[in-house]
Amino acid sequence: MDTKTITMPTRGFSSKAAAAIQSDTRFTEIAKGLSGRDLTSIADFSAEELAAVLELAHAVKAQPEEFRHALDAKQMVMFFEKASLRTRLTFEAAMNTVGGNAIFVDQTKEPLGQRESIPDVARNLERWMNVIVLRTFAHETVTEMAANAKVPVINALSELEHPCQAVADFMTLEERFGDLTGLKFTYVGDGNNVCHSLMLAGALLGVHVTVATPKGFEPDLDIIHKAIELAEEHGGTITLTHDAAKAAIGADAIYTDVCTSMGQEAEATKRAPIFKPYQVNEELMAQAQESAVFMHCLPAHRGQEVTDAVLDSEQSVVFDQAENRMHAQKAITLMLLGGAKRLPKNKVRR
């Protein structure tokens, strides 16, 4: 095993959360508190818990062998109602590399709850499995499974949120910027599930989040209220606008997603002209800081929400985000299954 000293990047959490996890004892307490919990929303985490999950994500990326047998013989089942490349492979790779096993169940032709009630499915799965991962259309499928299963349930995407993506995204920003304090994060496009989780995570981390959407495509009102509440508590801000160019001014990161998500294909023709002014292109990126990064959860529709010139530029960190899905989800799974009682001893904190 490589025992060289690993220097971790500085963190951008609120000062209270950052200070708290400097203690190994405190990390162990947080990990114990997360064991057995569900992750249906990124707001299921407190600021301190999200800080600890991100700390662990950096650790598992830097020193994977430290966690090679952390979840030996543990079983993960993955029910996916939507197509997937990154989510499926990163969860499977994450579970396999900590000693566990992942079982994929294709639900694209038969949504959960159709053949058998979700509570009955939950009562079966908890007898065989240690963790349930769901990628669904209806967010209620995730919450109903979580309410009825005695093992942790992880939201791997629902119509309302994409919390695992948000953990990977802020991990990527920490790698690039270190301390996130005062960071200006701009999301441009549809106020969808990805946008929701980014708003909530950014608020927990004390980041200044600006969201620019077309009229009629704003984020969910309950999410807005929750994000503002969290931002006020942790030193960040939430700003909503319909002006993409204005939102991009001075940004440290510009993020976008597809204009038409899975399940909304019938609206693609209608949406195309509405979202055209929100395309992330070289002109829009020029409004941001010179050091700004471009982010996208992928898959990207080149020429629609983003141009090739931006997606393939040196500012683009989209494939770092994709890689970090694996590390972030490994950290989340380790925490929820009690496989992360401490951080590696040879890690040097700031």
Side-chain angles (χ1 to χ4, degrees):
M1 181 176 64
D2 182 3
T3 57
K4 67 181 181 181
T5 299
I6 303 294
T7 301
M8 304 301 289
T10 57
R11 299 288 179 267
F13 315 124
S14 68
S15 57
K16 183 179 177 181
I21 60 170
Q22 298 308 303
S23 159
D24 281 331
T25 301
R26 186 58 189 145
F27 179 87
T28 300
E29 290 173 352
I30 295 169
K32 185 177 180 181
L34 283 170
S35 180
R37 295 251 300 269
D38 302 308
L39 177 59
T40 64
S41 162
I42 195 69
D44 289 347
F45 290 145
S46 67
E48 194 179 40
E49 289 167 345
L50 179 55
V53 169
L54 284 164
E55 188 86 2
L56 181 62
H58 289 289
V60 298
K61 183 174 182 177
Q63 302 179 71
E65 287 304 313
E66 288 276 352
F67 303 88
R68 186 66 186 88
H69 301 288
L71 296 181
D72 272 351
K74 299 292 186 184
Q75 300 293 321
M76 169 186 283
V77 64
M78 306 163 60
F79 285 96
F80 280 28
E81 294 177 349
K82 294 186 176 184
S84 173
L85 172 67
R86 280 154 294 279
T87 303
R88 175 180 177 178
L89 293 179
T90 54
F91 261 113
E92 289 189 352
M95 196 62 177
N96 292 340
T97 52
V98 292
N101 180 51
I103 300 170
F104 177 75
V105 182
D106 184 351
Q107 296 283 162
T108 56
K109 296 181 179 177
E110 186 180 61
L112 276 163
Q114 183 169 300
R115 176 174 175 270
E116 190 171 4
S117 76
I118 290 175
D120 282 352
V121 173
R123 293 182 187 113
N124 279 271
L125 295 179
E126 67 187 19
R127 303 295 182 103
W128 314 316
M129 298 293 152
N130 302 103
V131 58
I132 301 168
V133 177
L134 301 179
R135 183 175 168 90
T136 74
F137 286 97
H139 187 69
E140 288 72 19
T141 300
V142 179
T143 55
E144 188 173 8
M145 187 72 78
N148 287 280
K150 295 178 182 176
V151 298
V153 172
I154 298 175
N155 180 0
L157 184 144
S158 68
E159 64 181 1
L160 187 65
E161 278 207 54
H162 200 354
C164 298
Q165 179 70 53
V167 175
D169 294 338
F170 280 98
M171 178 186 177
T172 305
L173 287 170
E174 287 181 340
E175 289 178 331
R176 182 57 67 105
F177 294 104
D179 190 344
L180 300 186
T181 304
L183 188 93
K184 182 176 179 181
F185 178 92
T186 295
Y187 178 93
V188 178
D190 191 13
N192 60 13
N193 47 5
V194 172
C195 175
H196 291 162
S197 290
L198 291 170
M199 289 173 65
L200 293 169
L204 283 168
L205 296 171
V207 170
H208 300 300
V209 179
T210 298
V211 175
T213 65
K215 290 182 179 178
F217 295 90
E218 298 87 353
D220 177 87
L221 194 56
D222 288 340
I223 295 287
I224 293 171
H225 288 158
K226 181 66 176 177
I228 291 174
E229 175 186 328
L230 291 172
E232 288 176 347
E233 182 179 352
H234 299 290
T237 56
I238 301 294
T239 303
L240 303 176
T241 178
H242 298 301
D243 189 332
K246 185 177 179 180
I249 295 173
D252 296 296
I254 294 183
Y255 196 121
T256 193
D257 191 7
V258 293
C259 306
T260 305
S261 299
M262 282 184 285
Q264 300 172 331
E265 289 80 0
E267 301 178 18
T269 302
K270 171 188 172 184
R271 285 176 174 241
I274 296 173
F275 280 86
K276 191 173 181 179
Y278 295 84
Q279 181 191 70
V280 180
N281 48 38
E282 290 171 288
E283 183 179 355
L284 191 73
M285 286 299 296
Q287 301 297 315
Q289 301 278 359
E290 286 188 18
S291 59
V293 297
F294 169 72
M295 307 183 77
H296 195 301
C297 54
L298 300 177
H301 292 173
R302 291 170 178 265
Q304 295 183 23
E305 76 272 8
V306 60
T307 60
D308 287 346
V310 171
L311 188 64
D312 297 327
S313 71
E314 292 184 357
Q315 291 178 283
S316 175
V317 295
V318 299
F319 298 110
D320 294 332
Q321 294 173 255
E323 178 189 347
N324 286 338
R325 288 289 301 278
M326 181 176 69
H327 307 301
Q329 288 158 193
K330 188 184 293 186
I332 291 167
T333 306
L334 284 166
M335 283 292 201
L336 302 187
L337 293 190
K341 295 179 176 60
R342 64 169 180 81
L343 289 169
K345 291 181 180 178
N346 58 348
K347 185 178 79 66
V348 176
R349 299 175 190 278
R350 66 187 168 107

